Amino acid sequence: MQRTDISDPAYFHKVVDCQYACPAHTPVPEYIRMIAQGRYSDAYMVNWVSNVFPGILGRTCDRPCEPACRRGRVEKNNAGDPEPVAICRLKRVTADFKDDVHDRMPKVLPRNGKRIACVGAGPASLTVARDLAPLGYEVTVFEGDAKAGGFIRTQIPRFRLPESVIDEETGYVLDLGVKFIGGQRIESMKALMSQGFDAIFVGCGAPRGRQLDLPGLAQAKEHIHIGIDWLASVSFGHVTTIGKRVIVLGGGNTAMDCCRSARRLGGEDVKVIVRSGFEEMKASPWEKEDAMHEGIPIINFHVPKAFVHEGGVLKGMTFEVVKAQYDAKGKRQLVPTGASDVFFECDDVLVAVGQENAFPWIERDSGIAFDEWGLPQLGKGTFQSSVPNVFFGGDSAYGPKNIITAVAHGHEAAVSIDRLLHSEDVAVRPPPMTNLMSQKMGIHEWSYDNDTSNDLRYKVPWTKAEIALASIKVEVELGFDAATAFKEAGRCLNCDVQTVFLESACIECDACVDICPMDCISFKPNDEEAQLRQHLKAPALNLTQALYVSDELKTGHVMVKDEDVCLHCGLCAERCPTGAWDMQKFLLNTTPAGERCRDSAMPRARSAVGVA
C-alpha cells in the first residue's frame, strides 16, 4: 500500500463519520465540545452556518449522522444494543440554551444589482436566500402560504415542532434583507421568467401526495384523505377532529405524523397498516418507536385491496396478507400467503403512501427539460436545469428526501448561482476549507477532554401522556436539561481530533501498540490491502473506512492503523516516548457562495488544506 495522503481533505473527513454522513457536513464534534463547555451560542452558530435551522432540525432531522456515529460500533462490550451519541438532541440544546444571536448574523453587503427569485419558502429556498442575500443579491421569496417554512410549517405537527421555533429560525433568514411575498403562488414559470430575474431557484417541494385507486374510493372519498394534505389542514386549523377508528396507510415519516395527529384529534382506535415488513418501513426508527409508545400498533405485510362502504359511508378496508420472498440476488417480492383477506373497521383512512413532484405551473415549452418521472434534468452537483439561470433544489430536484438534504441542495445551488452571475463555470466546485491543528498543551496534555465516557445514551424526558395526547400543540419531547446535555456530550469520541503519525520520529518500540485499547495499531510488512487488513493485530473488516498507512520505517515495516474503531483517546500519543504520534484537530468547512467560491480564490482555498 502507498503512504496515506493526509493532506487530502477527503481522508480525515471520512474519519469524522458523523460529519461525513451529514448532507450539509455540519462539524458535529466541534459543536458538541462547545456544548460541554457551556458555549451554547457558539455551538448554535456553528450549526447555523451549515444547517441553517438548528432548532427545527434538533427536533425533526432524519439524523443520517447517528447511524454513522462511531460510538455505535465500538461500544458493543459496554452495551448489548450500543447507541450513538444523541447528536440531533444535542443540536436542539444549542437552540434551547443560546443567548440572543441577532448580532452574530451576517452583515449584509450593499446591493450588487443582481436579482434572485426563489419559488417556495421551504428549507432549500431559505438556504439559498441565507447564502446569497448577505452578498448583496436582491432575493425575493414567493410562497403560496402566508408565512415562510414550506413543508416544515405545514407537514410537521406542532407536537413535534412548535410554531414559535419555525417563526424564529425562518425569521433569521428573512431579516437578512430578503423580500418575502407570502400568499402568492407562482402560476407560470414563463411569466416569472419575464420579470427579469437574473436567476430563479425552484424549491417548491413535492406537493402532491399519492392516492390509492382501489375499489370503493369514489363512493367513500369523503372519509379518505391524502396524508400530506390532511396534515396541512390540521396545521392551519381547518381540520380539528377525526373519526374514532382510523387506518393510516403507509410506512414513512408522514404516516407516523398522521397516526400521532389522529390520536390527538379524537382517534381512539388508530392503526398503521403497511405492505412491507416492519424493518423495511421508510420511517425513522425513532418515529416508529414514538408512535408505538403512544399505543398505535403497526401491522405489516398487509396489502390494501378495497375500501368497504355502505351507501357511501366508509365501513372499513380489506387487506391481502402477504410475505416477503427473496430471489438469488436478494431482490424482494411480496407474495400471497394464502390466508383469507383481513377486514379492519374504520371511520377514516389517511393515505400516506408517498409523494410526487407536480409542476403544473412550469410550461413544457419554457425550455426546462424533465425526465420520464417528471423530475427536472439537472447538472450533477450544480442543480442547474436545461435553462442556465434556473435551478432546482430540495424535494423539487430529486423527489422527497428530508430537511437537511434540502439545506445541502440550497448551499450548492447558491454556489452555482453565485458563480453563474460572475460568468464562471458552475460545474467547477470550490474545495472545502480545512486544517489540522495540534492539540498538544504539554508533554502529555491535550486541549480537549480525551477521557472516554462509558455512559450509555441518555433518555430525553417526555411530557406526560395524558397531557400530550390531549392537544395537538403540546410538544412531546422536552429536550435535555443542561446537566444531561453535558453528560451526553461527554459520550462524543472527538472523531475530528486525529492521530497523526510522524515516521521520522518513530523507533518502533511498540508502546502505542501495547496501550491501544482497540488494538487498531500494527507494525507489519507492507502488502496489498486485502492481505494487510487480515494480518493486523486485529483484522480491519470495515472496507468502507480506509487504513492509515505510513511510509516504510527503518525495519522495513509500515505502521498501519484501522481508522474504523479508533477511540481518538490519545493514549498512543501520550505513551509514545519520541512524539511520533500527535493529536491534531481536523476542521472542515464547505466553501459557501461568495468570493471564496470563485476562480480567483480557489488556489488560496486549496493552499489552506494541510497542517495549520
Side-chain angles (χ1 to χ4, degrees), residues 561-595:
K561 175 170 171 284
D562 180 7
E563 297 281 20
D564 184 52
V565 293
C566 174
L567 297 179
H568 298 247
C569 60
L571 289 175
C572 54
E574 290 181 13
R575 182 72 176 268
C576 180
T578 64
W581 288 102
D582 190 15
M583 304 304 296
Q584 298 187 8
K585 185 174 77 171
F586 171 81
L587 183 63
L588 179 143
N589 287 308
T590 54
T591 303
E595 290 184 2

Side-chain angles (χ1 to χ4, degrees), residues 109-164:
L109 297 176
R111 295 288 192 205
N112 62 17
K114 303 292 186 180
R115 299 170 60 236
I116 314 295
C118 292
V119 180
S125 287
L126 292 180
T127 300
V128 170
R130 170 256 177 275
D131 285 358
L132 296 181
L135 302 178
Y137 291 98
E138 182 183 333
V139 181
T140 302
V141 177
F142 297 92
E143 170 57 49
D145 297 322
K147 301 176 78 173
F151 276 27
I152 291 175
R153 189 179 295 275
T154 61
Q155 307 303 317
I156 301 176
R158 297 291 81 86
F159 59 81
R160 289 182 59 205
L161 178 62
E163 192 162 18
S164 59

Side-chain angles (χ1 to χ4, degrees), residues 234-254:
V234 172
S235 176
F236 291 125
H238 303 321
V239 169
T240 57
T241 60
I242 198 167
K244 291 184 178 180
R245 300 170 301 177
V246 180
I247 289 175
V248 178
L249 301 176
N253 288 340
T254 298

